Amino acid sequence: MFSIRLSFIYADDHADLSLQTGLRGILQDYNRKIQLKSSSTLPVSLTGMKSNMLIVKRPFSTSHSSVDSKEMKKFQLLAHKWWDEEGEYAALHSMNDIRVPFIRDTLLSMSSNYHPGNPLSGIKILDVGCGGGLLSEPLGRLGASVTGIDPVEDNISTADRHKSFDPVLAKRIQYKSSSLEEIVEESMETFDVIVASEVVEHVADLEMFIKCCSQVLKPEGSLFITTINKTQLSYVLGIVVAEKIMGIVPEGTHEWEKFVSPEELERLLESNGFSVRTVNGMLYNPLSGSWGWMESTSLNYALHAVKSGARARSHATDAPPETDIQQCSATAGTAGTVPDGTV
């Protein structure tokens, strides 16, 4: 499921003194509040947070599915609010202003074919964790054939209902209440593009998720991911400030332990046959409610990776693709009850 982010204007590693002073003030105020709650276990100082962060490690391949039942419950409650542009998903609506052009322009730069009015015509896209269709619809309007999957049935119902208002989209987009694992066997090397926007920070097994992406993507196909970095700043702004203090997103939306750094994500992608081409920092300004690009990836970032071609894969020395197919499809029996990620 998708998540909603809080980022600030001064997000790179050289943030000025005013930001540092502001954060200290916020944390001091938060510390005073948290002392009144004896049951709280949150770290209450930057030093304490740093110590805790150093010992947390992502448990790769410890589960048999990339979906997470706790995440499914969180977003089930908000399934009817996807198209409320002023509601909980307001930041995702405005994110389309930069993520849609990023996907479109990257794909056009890789192709010599251009269809005026429908620049993505002929391209088959899988939107993993599609939610209510916030990203599927603009991609469909650009001419793409889009399949949106989400394990939350109410999300799919919302998406189906909304696309039905536009006869063109009704023909170009299909939605399925499904996890990624459940469609692997039937969709081997089917899609030209996979988008997983605000998804990977909610999956139960990121390594399995990437393996399954590789299985359903065509050789030389593109994978687009947007997510949040695993940094001290992302903890302070994304969880303490956004959830605990300001209430911009519902408390419990994020788990810092599931955030992933660009370096870690790149390592996992490359070990599964992808080549990372682009990593761009993203910035959300809560005052204007708009997103923009930035040099630093210390908070949010967007990544584009390309799956190796058939020739390159034929010379690979790791386990054959059939092994991965079995690993992914073996999870299909339980994946429908828990989400493979966000939307």
Side-chain angles (χ1 to χ4, degrees), residues 6 88 239-251:
L6 172 67
E88 283 84 348
I239 296 180
V240 176
V241 176
E243 295 185 15
K244 302 291 182 180
I245 298 176
M246 300 181 68
I248 292 178
V249 295
E251 187 170 345

Side-chain angles (χ1 to χ4, degrees), residues 38-84:
S38 58
S39 61
S40 174
T41 58
L42 280 171
V44 294
S45 68
L46 288 175
T47 302
M49 278 186 274
K50 186 173 181 181
S51 298
N52 283 334
M53 292 175 185
L54 291 175
I55 62 174
V56 174
K57 296 191 183 214
R58 180 182 295 279
F60 290 120
S61 300
T62 57
S63 69
H64 297 290
S65 174
S66 67
V67 294
D68 188 322
S69 57
K70 292 189 299 181
E71 300 291 345
M72 189 175 192
K73 292 176 183 176
K74 292 178 189 176
F75 295 98
Q76 178 82 42
L77 298 174
L78 299 174
H80 62 291
K81 297 186 176 182
W82 281 104
W83 291 96
D84 179 2

Side-chain angles (χ1 to χ4, degrees), residues 300-318:
N300 299 78
Y301 63 95
L303 178 148
H304 170 234
V306 175
K307 179 181 173 180
S308 62
R311 180 177 300 177
R313 289 193 300 120
S314 67
H315 291 86
T317 57
D318 55 359

